[in-house]
Amino acid sequence: MARGRRTALRWALLAAAMGCALPAPAQRLLFDASAAKPAARLALSHVQAKAVAVSPGPPLRRYTFQPAPAPQLGLAPPEGDWDWTGQGELRIQLQNAMPWALTLTVEVDGADPSQRLRAIVALPAGPAQTLVLPLRAVSPRAFGMQAGPAWPFEAQGQRLLLAATVEGTLDLRHVRALRLGMPAPNAPQDVLLGRIGTAPGEAALHAAYAGIVDAYGQSTRGDWPEKIADDATLRAAHAREDAALAQAARPSGLDRYGGRPDVRGLDATGWFRAQKAQGRWWLVTPEGHAFFSLGVNAVNDDGGRSHVEGREFMFRSLPAAAGAWRAFHGRDAEGAGGLGARAGLGYGRGAWFDFYAANLYRADGADWLAAWRRRALDRLAAWGFNTLGDWSDPALGRAHRLPYTRAVEIEGTFGNVSTGYDWWGRMPDPFDPSFAQAADAAAAKAAEGVRDDPWLLGYFADNELAWAAPGPQGRWALAQGTLRGEPRSHAKRAFIAQLEAKYGEPARLAAAWGIALPSWQALAPAGFAAPLPDAAHPAIAADYAAWLARYADAYFGTVAAAIRRHDPHHLFLGGRFALATPEAVAACARHCDVLSFNAYADLPQHALDMTLLRRLDRPVLLTEFHFGSDDRGPFGKGVVPVWNEAQRGEAYARYLAAAAGEPLVVGAHWFEYVDQPVTGRLLDGENSHVGLVGITDIPFGGFVEAVRAANARAASGR
């Protein structure tokens, strides 16, 4: 780390500790839009310069970005290149002149085409501010979170907006151009610009992250209706809610598991099952009634844990690890290794604090866990949910108030295969005999104590395995990864044997694939570069598809046998697909009772291959979906973002109506119960506002009401 960056970090730490603003760094002026003769050369493409705006702040000139694929304002030095040696930040005075947020692109070009920094910035409506672009690649992941502070904040006596993610590289000695753009506006959009310059150090970058979390784990960068100011307010909010929950009406006309008796032709077996009747698939309760599963994932009390070690400057009033607060402090030695989800993530180990559990203690004292469990079950019932989704507190299921699910988490020392998209780790090798042993042990553990419980809906196996990789050729990633593996790989040996059995001679495979292959042994070395399918060699795709089908059949067949060996009563709910291949889905359909998909999209049909699913004609459970916004504290908007809190409820209602109206779908599970921590969860730094309740355990009232109404419609079949 350069000396200037160390100085900036020391200033940030000191300022956070003292509660004071950072000193404004000296700036080097590059351009002044309001000047009669700007120092830099200005080039406008589908952008019109207007008059200087009259305002109480700094003089700003209006620029109108016209409807076009990429309207752009460019700046260049009067001659030669700019030399920004010793500079750490680009600072742009600007204001969004529209009543809605705008998206800006900021690019800084070097002399070489490979030298470029690029950032995409959401520019909110409101007063003028200074956009700060760090002059190097930077990401919120380096600060331990997936999404960084994207809203303006006050520091150095200014209103600052940080470009939290900057990509690329730049030789600061040779800077050739600065470009501000807007991606394809569909109507004229006005932006006001003032002075543009550079500054040494990275004071604004670190100020953006300093003091962002208050004593309750809430963001300090905003206010919202559910935000808590003190313990008394927290306790009063819970008391009001508890009184309302006690008076809440419970659905009538349902069986004890939440099933509807109005659907005819379903059979009672004493266990949950799946059955097709009246032209659609249903889950069926042990009493023989139709059940559309409305669930919530991760209903547990430990979702507020976030690492604090090394980044104490981000937290205001962090409770000390002493007295009653000691119970909410913890430490891990290492973050989960080998996960693509952790690549480039800073602060991924060491001491952590559980803000959510600490707030439960603030509200209910020493008996907080029992109070939380009671309240969670009361809430879910009152909000129209009838299922505890994956990763929920087992004690909630044992209460026998809501049907629940169990996870079969297969762990061990068996082999694996990399698809190159190892977000949650490499693929298990089902051809390794150790995998069958591990699956058996995992199924036995999952079934322990619940094998004979009729309230158990069923079992999930693993989660979001890398059956494929992103991109148009991602379908073949597992086949290519198998052949890329080491010679001792059980999967690789099985694939090579399959090819030998089909082709007999290596020359025949070489001709079919369009590769050089002097012998079968040439496939054995690690790193073998298997070809991508192309139109000239259709055999490649056919052989890969056959292997993918065999691989998936081995995996799901092994897991299904293990589950049914230890629990013959309950449903095998599938493997919670994220990225999937047709071969994997078809194999799952052969061995599982229900196909499960983590289906993130505006509508479930847009996340799924409905043509394939209708051909397979198997029940489908949507095991994860959500909609997030950034106006309730956490900086991230989740996988499917919307603009604001109100739109979360609208999006939920649309999605659930589409799910309930699809004859294959037997339920939908929201991810997740509690908002993720502002500074990121322990596993991978996710920090999105996607919860039903906040980090203080206060429900998001408007959203929850929209959810309740949508759930009532879906459960009744209206």
mmCIF file of all heavy atoms in Angstrom, residues 106-128:
data_model
loop_
_atom_site.group_PDB
_atom_site.id
_atom_site.type_symbol
_atom_site.label_atom_id
_atom_site.label_comp_id
_atom_site.label_asym_id
_atom_site.label_seq_id
_atom_site.Cartn_x
_atom_site.Cartn_y
_atom_site.Cartn_z
ATOM 1 N N VAL A 106 -18.746 6.539 -15.806
ATOM 2 C CA VAL A 106 -17.559 7.387 -15.729
ATOM 3 C C VAL A 106 -16.374 6.553 -16.198
ATOM 4 O O VAL A 106 -16.114 5.477 -15.653
ATOM 5 C CB VAL A 106 -17.312 7.897 -14.301
ATOM 6 C CG1 VAL A 106 -16.139 8.876 -14.283
ATOM 7 C CG2 VAL A 106 -18.565 8.545 -13.731
ATOM 8 N N GLU A 107 -15.668 7.033 -17.212
ATOM 9 C CA GLU A 107 -14.515 6.313 -17.745
ATOM 10 C C GLU A 107 -13.320 7.251 -17.829
ATOM 11 O O GLU A 107 -13.456 8.401 -18.255
ATOM 12 C CB GLU A 107 -14.831 5.738 -19.131
ATOM 13 C CG GLU A 107 -15.924 4.671 -19.085
ATOM 14 C CD GLU A 107 -16.267 4.137 -20.469
ATOM 15 O OE1 GLU A 107 -16.532 4.952 -21.375
ATOM 16 O OE2 GLU A 107 -16.273 2.917 -20.633
ATOM 17 N N VAL A 108 -12.176 6.746 -17.420
ATOM 18 C CA VAL A 108 -10.924 7.481 -17.504
ATOM 19 C C VAL A 108 -9.979 6.658 -18.361
ATOM 20 O O VAL A 108 -9.659 5.513 -18.025
ATOM 21 C CB VAL A 108 -10.313 7.731 -16.114
ATOM 22 C CG1 VAL A 108 -9.053 8.586 -16.248
ATOM 23 C CG2 VAL A 108 -11.323 8.404 -15.190
ATOM 24 N N ASP A 109 -9.527 7.235 -19.485
ATOM 25 C CA ASP A 109 -8.704 6.508 -20.447
ATOM 26 C C ASP A 109 -7.235 6.867 -20.300
ATOM 27 O O ASP A 109 -6.881 8.040 -20.136
ATOM 28 C CB ASP A 109 -9.128 6.836 -21.884
ATOM 29 C CG ASP A 109 -10.531 6.352 -22.194
ATOM 30 O OD1 ASP A 109 -11.006 5.456 -21.477
ATOM 31 O OD2 ASP A 109 -11.135 6.870 -23.149
ATOM 32 N N GLY A 110 -6.389 5.843 -20.397
ATOM 33 C CA GLY A 110 -4.961 6.058 -20.460
ATOM 34 C C GLY A 110 -4.477 6.114 -21.894
ATOM 35 O O GLY A 110 -5.266 6.018 -22.843
ATOM 36 N N ALA A 111 -3.181 6.218 -22.058
ATOM 37 C CA ALA A 111 -2.614 6.310 -23.400
ATOM 38 C C ALA A 111 -2.728 4.989 -24.147
ATOM 39 O O ALA A 111 -2.864 4.965 -25.369
ATOM 40 C CB ALA A 111 -1.152 6.754 -23.307
ATOM 41 N N ASP A 112 -2.667 3.896 -23.415
ATOM 42 C CA ASP A 112 -2.765 2.570 -24.008
ATOM 43 C C ASP A 112 -4.210 2.095 -23.934
ATOM 44 O O ASP A 112 -4.893 2.324 -22.932
ATOM 45 C CB ASP A 112 -1.851 1.602 -23.247
ATOM 46 C CG ASP A 112 -1.788 0.239 -23.903
ATOM 47 O OD1 ASP A 112 -2.735 -0.552 -23.694
ATOM 48 O OD2 ASP A 112 -0.813 -0.040 -24.617
ATOM 49 N N PRO A 113 -4.727 1.418 -24.982
ATOM 50 C CA PRO A 113 -6.124 0.956 -24.944
ATOM 51 C C PRO A 113 -6.440 0.048 -23.756
ATOM 52 O O PRO A 113 -7.600 -0.053 -23.349
ATOM 53 C CB PRO A 113 -6.283 0.205 -26.271
ATOM 54 C CG PRO A 113 -5.256 0.801 -27.174
ATOM 55 C CD PRO A 113 -4.098 1.162 -26.295
ATOM 56 N N SER A 114 -5.436 -0.626 -23.221
ATOM 57 C CA SER A 114 -5.675 -1.500 -22.073
ATOM 58 C C SER A 114 -5.788 -0.733 -20.771
ATOM 59 O O SER A 114 -6.152 -1.311 -19.742
ATOM 60 C CB SER A 114 -4.546 -2.530 -21.952
ATOM 61 O OG SER A 114 -3.316 -1.883 -21.643
ATOM 62 N N GLN A 115 -5.485 0.566 -20.794
ATOM 63 C CA GLN A 115 -5.504 1.389 -19.590
ATOM 64 C C GLN A 115 -6.831 2.154 -19.521
ATOM 65 O O GLN A 115 -7.060 3.092 -20.275
ATOM 66 C CB GLN A 115 -4.333 2.371 -19.601
ATOM 67 C CG GLN A 115 -2.966 1.715 -19.528
ATOM 68 C CD GLN A 115 -2.682 1.194 -18.138
ATOM 69 O OE1 GLN A 115 -2.809 1.905 -17.151
ATOM 70 N NE2 GLN A 115 -2.284 -0.058 -18.053
ATOM 71 N N ARG A 116 -7.691 1.714 -18.633
ATOM 72 C CA ARG A 116 -8.983 2.389 -18.487
ATOM 73 C C ARG A 116 -9.585 2.046 -17.131
ATOM 74 O O ARG A 116 -9.566 0.899 -16.700
ATOM 75 C CB ARG A 116 -9.951 1.983 -19.591
ATOM 76 C CG ARG A 116 -11.364 2.549 -19.413
ATOM 77 C CD ARG A 116 -12.257 2.196 -20.586
ATOM 78 N NE ARG A 116 -11.785 2.813 -21.812
ATOM 79 C CZ ARG A 116 -12.257 2.520 -23.027
ATOM 80 N NH1 ARG A 116 -13.185 1.596 -23.164
ATOM 81 N NH2 ARG A 116 -11.781 3.134 -24.092
ATOM 82 N N LEU A 117 -10.122 3.044 -16.469
ATOM 83 C CA LEU A 117 -10.932 2.850 -15.284
ATOM 84 C C LEU A 117 -12.383 3.114 -15.652
ATOM 85 O O LEU A 117 -12.674 4.035 -16.431
ATOM 86 C CB LEU A 117 -10.518 3.792 -14.158
ATOM 87 C CG LEU A 117 -9.124 3.591 -13.558
ATOM 88 C CD1 LEU A 117 -8.874 4.621 -12.461
ATOM 89 C CD2 LEU A 117 -8.964 2.181 -12.996
ATOM 90 N N ARG A 118 -13.278 2.331 -15.079
ATOM 91 C CA ARG A 118 -14.698 2.488 -15.412
ATOM 92 C C ARG A 118 -15.546 2.258 -14.171
ATOM 93 O O ARG A 118 -15.280 1.349 -13.387
ATOM 94 C CB ARG A 118 -15.119 1.509 -16.501
ATOM 95 C CG ARG A 118 -16.541 1.752 -17.032
ATOM 96 C CD ARG A 118 -16.823 0.858 -18.233
ATOM 97 N NE ARG A 118 -18.034 1.273 -18.935
ATOM 98 C CZ ARG A 118 -19.253 0.832 -18.669
ATOM 99 N NH1 ARG A 118 -19.430 -0.046 -17.688
ATOM 100 N NH2 ARG A 118 -20.294 1.255 -19.368
ATOM 101 N N ALA A 119 -16.562 3.096 -14.012
ATOM 102 C CA ALA A 119 -17.508 2.946 -12.904
ATOM 103 C C ALA A 119 -18.905 3.264 -13.405
ATOM 104 O O ALA A 119 -19.089 4.078 -14.319
ATOM 105 C CB ALA A 119 -17.143 3.870 -11.747
ATOM 106 N N ILE A 120 -19.893 2.594 -12.812
ATOM 107 C CA ILE A 120 -21.299 2.878 -13.061
ATOM 108 C C ILE A 120 -21.871 3.413 -11.761
ATOM 109 O O ILE A 120 -21.745 2.777 -10.707
ATOM 110 C CB ILE A 120 -22.053 1.629 -13.527
ATOM 111 C CG1 ILE A 120 -21.438 1.093 -14.821
ATOM 112 C CG2 ILE A 120 -23.532 1.937 -13.728
ATOM 113 C CD1 ILE A 120 -22.057 -0.213 -15.288
ATOM 114 N N VAL A 121 -22.510 4.583 -11.827
ATOM 115 C CA VAL A 121 -22.954 5.277 -10.623
ATOM 116 C C VAL A 121 -24.440 5.574 -10.717
ATOM 117 O O VAL A 121 -24.916 6.062 -11.753
ATOM 118 C CB VAL A 121 -22.174 6.593 -10.430
ATOM 119 C CG1 VAL A 121 -22.646 7.323 -9.176
ATOM 120 C CG2 VAL A 121 -20.680 6.327 -10.372
ATOM 121 N N ALA A 122 -25.166 5.270 -9.645
ATOM 122 C CA ALA A 122 -26.570 5.682 -9.532
ATOM 123 C C ALA A 122 -26.585 7.073 -8.931
ATOM 124 O O ALA A 122 -26.179 7.275 -7.789
ATOM 125 C CB ALA A 122 -27.338 4.706 -8.657
ATOM 126 N N LEU A 123 -27.025 8.051 -9.707
ATOM 127 C CA LEU A 123 -27.019 9.445 -9.281
ATOM 128 C C LEU A 123 -28.418 9.817 -8.800
ATOM 129 O O LEU A 123 -29.346 9.973 -9.601
ATOM 130 C CB LEU A 123 -26.600 10.346 -10.451
ATOM 131 C CG LEU A 123 -26.485 11.837 -10.169
ATOM 132 C CD1 LEU A 123 -25.423 12.109 -9.112
ATOM 133 C CD2 LEU A 123 -26.158 12.595 -11.459
ATOM 134 N N PRO A 124 -28.622 9.959 -7.489
ATOM 135 C CA PRO A 124 -29.969 10.242 -6.992
ATOM 136 C C PRO A 124 -30.404 11.660 -7.293
ATOM 137 O O PRO A 124 -29.580 12.561 -7.504
ATOM 138 C CB PRO A 124 -29.829 10.017 -5.487
ATOM 139 C CG PRO A 124 -28.395 10.300 -5.194
ATOM 140 C CD PRO A 124 -27.634 9.855 -6.400
ATOM 141 N N ALA A 125 -31.702 11.870 -7.329
ATOM 142 C CA ALA A 125 -32.233 13.222 -7.441
ATOM 143 C C ALA A 125 -31.957 13.957 -6.140
ATOM 144 O O ALA A 125 -31.832 13.357 -5.075
ATOM 145 C CB ALA A 125 -33.728 13.165 -7.718
ATOM 146 N N GLY A 126 -31.855 15.286 -6.216
ATOM 147 C CA GLY A 126 -31.603 16.049 -5.000
ATOM 148 C C GLY A 126 -30.573 17.131 -5.222
ATOM 149 O O GLY A 126 -30.273 17.509 -6.365
ATOM 150 N N PRO A 127 -29.997 17.637 -4.141
ATOM 151 C CA PRO A 127 -29.071 18.765 -4.250
ATOM 152 C C PRO A 127 -27.745 18.373 -4.889
ATOM 153 O O PRO A 127 -27.467 17.192 -5.120
ATOM 154 C CB PRO A 127 -28.871 19.179 -2.782
ATOM 155 C CG PRO A 127 -29.159 17.942 -1.999
ATOM 156 C CD PRO A 127 -30.233 17.228 -2.744
ATOM 157 N N ALA A 128 -26.931 19.376 -5.156
ATOM 158 C CA ALA A 128 -25.611 19.150 -5.756
ATOM 159 C C ALA A 128 -24.727 18.360 -4.799
ATOM 160 O O ALA A 128 -24.881 18.414 -3.584
ATOM 161 C CB ALA A 128 -24.966 20.483 -6.111
#
